[in-house]
Amino acid sequence: MATTNNKTQCSVCNKENNTYNCKRCSNEFCLPHFTEHRQRIETQLEAIINDYDQFQQTIIQQKRNPYNSSLIEQINQWETNSIQQVQQTAQQCRETLMKLTQKLINNVERQFTELSKKLKEIRQKNEFNEIDLNHFQLKLTQITEEFLQPSNISIRQDSQEFIKKISVISSIESYHPIQFAISTATIPKNPITTSQISNQSQVKQKPIQTKKSKFKQSAITVAGGNAQGQKLNQLRYPWGIFVDNDKSICIADCYNHRIVKWKLNSNKGRVIVDGNQNNQLNLPTNIVSDKKNNSFIISDQGNRRVIRYFDQTQEILISNIDCYGLTIDKNGFIYVSDYEYHEVRRWKQGDKIGELIAGGNGQGNQLNQLNSPTYIFIAEDYSLYILDHNNHRVMKWKKDAKEGIIVAGGNGQGNSLRQLSYPQGVFVDHLDQIYVTDYRNDRVMRWCEGDEAGETVVGGNGQGNQSNQLNGPSGLSFDDDGNLYVVDHNNHRIQKYEKVLI
């Protein structure tokens, strides 16, 4: 432990004397202080040995009774609190359900009275069309179903826990011998910068059109066309469509209560959402693709809701809404038209109340009003194009605008090139040309903003089922090659008008 040295200075008292060197700490001590130093070290060693023995006893006790710990007590307390919370919530739900049931009965009775009054009014005025009749029939069906099997009262079990989730978190790994060492992190010599990452992938831009497209006037039937029915080669009053990148067509087959997909050159479709199973759909009117989330967004009009469908499951996004048309922007925000409240709202994920984008100032024909809007289209600059159905016009609402501008029709109902009659579908191309399905005039028109009149693109040859005729066109879309697809609603088919190469 120590060696004797000639007279040197003690590291404690600083006096010169015969000293002893401690090889462990390399200090010099006189004899009294060396003895004291030695006792202090031995005392520290005894304390460490005593702590070691006590900890060993703790380990032995814990192995004998593993349930005797503060963590187990926390779990037991969580169990007790959770059971109490479940019981309280169940009782609250019972009381709420009783109040809602009575409110539902009163509400159904009020709706039925209002519907009867409106039906008498339009019958006396003799001003109605097919869309109005479909709407009244739908409303009566909804009221009946709502009374017998209320859809706006249900028991929902959220995927997000209302009881705080408990779990055991551990970072215990396999045993490694304790080593007294200092580790250092390695920094890459040439880190990748943000700009380098963004330059590795360039967005492929579509070629910009420079000329107005022309189309063959005789169409090819690419879906349905075999009379109305529910077979896989038939459709029944389809409404909305979209064309996928592989030129397959997804169709809201409204009166068959289903979504069907027809592949290119196929003579029959495949049901991808069947409303006849578990009442998944009721009179769907529109469908859009949300590629970001690998899903479809569907206007489930008969069930007064908008749903997301993916992997054979569906999620209700918006409830209690009379929606015919919807669209989605590049940020994934969903725009929904409300036929009943004469407005369009934008919904972000998690919203309980959508943001008002257009209308919302009551039913009317002023620039800040709408009258039963149906289908809608969102442009790259977030301008919203709205089929203002009963005003026989197309409205454009720029981003954050307080009122819209008329970009097609708006000159009363009629069949001139300045007029529309109950327009249904709308699409805007890269030249900002507005394509509109003119429902009662059995034609598709093209308008440019600022023009006093539009031009007939296809149809307009009288109501019929020939290849150059339409009967109540509704939805429309384009494929990547610029071919035009039109929903020939009353002919129960989808027509493809090939683009003419110039």
Side-chain angles (χ1 to χ4, degrees):
M1 170 83 182
T3 57
T4 308
N5 195 359
N6 293 328
K7 290 183 178 181
T8 57
Q9 203 173 43
C10 175
S11 62
V12 177
C13 63
N14 297 323
K15 295 180 179 179
E16 289 191 357
N17 207 337
N18 290 330
T19 59
Y20 299 85
N21 178 265
C22 179
K23 293 182 178 180
R24 296 289 185 184
C25 61
S26 300
N27 290 328
E28 301 289 338
F29 299 93
C30 62
L31 181 59
H33 287 126
F34 175 76
T35 302
E36 181 182 322
H37 176 68
R38 175 71 180 178
Q39 290 175 347
R40 184 169 63 253
I41 290 175
E42 290 179 351
T43 301
Q44 289 176 351
L45 177 61
E46 288 297 328
I48 292 172
I49 293 174
N50 183 57
D51 290 342
Y52 172 84
D53 291 340
Q54 290 181 2
F55 184 68
Q56 187 176 38
Q57 289 298 318
T58 301
I59 293 174
I60 293 172
Q61 293 175 2
Q62 189 64 36
K63 289 174 66 176
R64 290 175 179 174
N65 187 6
Y67 289 98
N68 185 22
S69 75
S70 61
L71 296 177
I72 292 293
E73 179 57 32
Q74 290 181 41
I75 295 173
N76 293 340
Q77 187 61 49
W78 171 85
E79 180 182 25
T80 300
N81 294 341
S82 297
I83 291 173
Q84 293 176 353
Q85 191 171 353
V86 169
Q87 291 174 339
Q88 291 174 0
T89 303
Q91 182 58 31
Q92 291 172 0
C93 287
R94 292 187 191 98
E95 295 173 358
T96 301
L97 181 59
M98 296 299 293
K99 293 178 181 178
L100 288 176
T101 301
Q102 186 58 49
K103 186 176 180 180
L104 170 68
I105 295 173
N106 296 337
N107 187 47
V108 167
E109 189 176 19
R110 178 184 59 81
Q111 290 184 60
F112 182 73
T113 301
E114 291 178 357
L115 185 64
S116 299
K117 182 180 179 181
K118 290 180 180 179
L119 192 59
K120 290 179 181 178
E121 288 177 358
I122 68 165
R123 186 174 182 181
Q124 290 173 354
K125 294 180 180 180
N126 198 26
E127 294 180 359
F128 54 89
N129 56 68
E130 293 96 326
I131 299 295
D132 294 326
L133 296 180
N134 287 340
H135 187 70
F136 276 109
Q137 181 61 56
L138 180 60
K139 283 290 185 182
L140 181 59
T141 302
Q142 289 172 351
I143 292 174
T144 304
E145 292 179 352
E146 189 68 18
F147 183 72
L148 299 177
Q149 294 181 337
S151 60
N152 56 356
I153 302 177
S154 61
I155 305 301
R156 183 182 67 188
Q157 300 185 42
D158 291 335
S159 58
Q160 296 180 348
E161 301 86 354
F162 80 98
I163 297 174
K164 290 184 178 180
K165 184 178 180 180
I166 191 172
S167 59
V168 179
I169 308 301
S170 172
S171 59
I172 296 175
E173 299 178 356
S174 301
Y175 164 74
H176 296 285
I178 298 175
Q179 299 177 355
F180 295 95
I182 299 175
S183 60
T184 58
T186 302
I187 301 175
K189 294 181 179 179
N190 297 309
I192 299 176
T193 65
T194 303
S195 61
Q196 288 173 325
I197 293 174
S198 62
N199 288 334
Q200 291 176 0
S201 59
Q202 298 293 332
V203 178
K204 185 178 180 182
Q205 298 290 336
K206 290 185 178 180
I208 298 177
Q209 288 179 278
T210 57
K211 294 182 179 180
K212 289 185 177 181
S213 299
K214 291 186 178 181
F215 305 91
K216 293 182 179 179
Q217 295 303 297
S218 292
I220 302 170
T221 300
V222 291
N226 299 299
Q228 64 169 305
Q230 58 185 359
K231 295 179 181 178
L232 292 180
N233 68 340
Q234 293 178 307
L235 299 170
R236 189 179 176 208
Y237 296 105
W239 277 110
I241 61 169
F242 79 83
V243 181
D244 218 335
N245 294 336
D246 61 357
K247 294 183 175 56
S248 59
I249 311 166
C250 289
I251 308 166
D253 191 8
C254 184
Y255 278 70
N256 278 327
H257 312 290
R258 67 187 183 185
I259 304 296
V260 292
K261 185 174 185 177
W262 288 62
K263 291 186 177 180
L264 180 65
N265 298 325
S266 177
N267 59 6
K268 65 179 180 180
R270 177 175 64 89
V271 178
I272 57 177
V273 186
D274 189 355
N276 297 311
Q277 294 182 1
N278 301 321
N279 194 30
Q280 288 182 315
L281 291 177
N282 184 6
L283 299 174
T285 56
N286 205 2
I287 176 172
V288 295
S289 175
D290 181 4
K291 296 188 182 298
K292 183 178 179 180
N293 294 299
N294 193 29
S295 62
F296 301 127
I297 310 297
I298 303 171
S299 173
D300 190 10
Q301 212 276 337
N303 284 323
R304 294 180 60 82
R305 64 186 183 181
V306 174
I307 66 171
R308 183 192 302 278
Y309 187 85
F310 56 96
D311 294 335
Q312 305 299 317
T313 60
Q314 66 182 34
E315 171 192 10
I316 299 175
L317 301 179
I318 308 169
S319 298
N320 195 28
I321 185 169
D322 192 357
C323 169
Y324 276 88
L326 52 87
T327 188
I328 186 169
D329 67 18
K330 55 190 174 184
N331 297 316
F333 301 158
I334 300 170
Y335 298 73
V336 179
S337 67
D338 194 320
Y339 189 91
E340 184 177 8
Y341 289 99
H342 316 288
E343 64 186 20
V344 178
R345 289 184 177 269
R346 179 177 62 197
W347 298 75
K348 301 176 184 179
Q349 186 173 2
D351 280 354
K352 292 185 178 180
I353 300 177
E355 179 184 358
L356 181 65
I357 300 298
N361 296 301
Q363 181 180 11
N365 60 5
Q366 301 301 310
L367 294 181
N368 68 341
Q369 293 179 307
L370 298 170
N371 188 351
S372 302
T374 54
Y375 290 85
I376 54 180
F377 182 92
I378 189 75
E380 285 290 319
D381 64 353
Y382 301 102
S383 292
L384 185 66
Y385 294 81
I386 306 168
L387 269 299
D388 195 6
H389 181 72
N390 287 339
N391 281 329
H392 313 289
R393 66 187 184 183
V394 180
M395 299 291 290
K396 176 182 177 181
W397 288 64
K398 294 182 180 180
K399 184 180 179 182
D400 300 325
K402 299 301 181 183
E403 63 180 31
I405 57 176
I406 301 171
V407 292
N411 297 300
Q413 181 185 5
N415 60 7
S416 76
L417 293 181
R418 300 177 62 252
Q419 295 175 305
L420 297 169
S421 182
Y422 298 106
Q424 284 298 323
V426 60
F427 188 97
V428 182
D429 67 12
H430 293 294
L431 289 176
D432 292 332
Q433 296 176 132
I434 306 154
Y435 290 80
V436 185
T437 52
D438 194 6
Y439 182 82
R440 289 289 291 274
N441 287 325
D442 306 303
R443 64 187 179 184
V444 176
M445 298 192 69
R446 178 168 56 202
W447 294 65
C448 293
E449 185 176 336
D451 288 354
E452 292 184 1
E455 60 178 320
T456 300
V457 177
V458 296
N461 298 306
Q463 187 179 98
N465 59 6
Q466 301 302 310
S467 62
N468 68 339
Q469 292 180 308
L470 295 167
N471 186 355
S474 56
L476 78 163
S477 187
F478 287 83
D479 63 21
D480 290 339
D481 295 329
N483 299 311
L484 171 63
Y485 295 74
V486 180
V487 178
D488 196 3
H489 178 72
N490 294 326
N491 281 328
H492 318 287
R493 65 185 183 182
I494 310 300
Q495 297 292 85
K496 175 183 176 182
Y497 294 88
E498 294 181 333
K499 180 181 176 181
V500 176
L501 298 178
I502 303 175

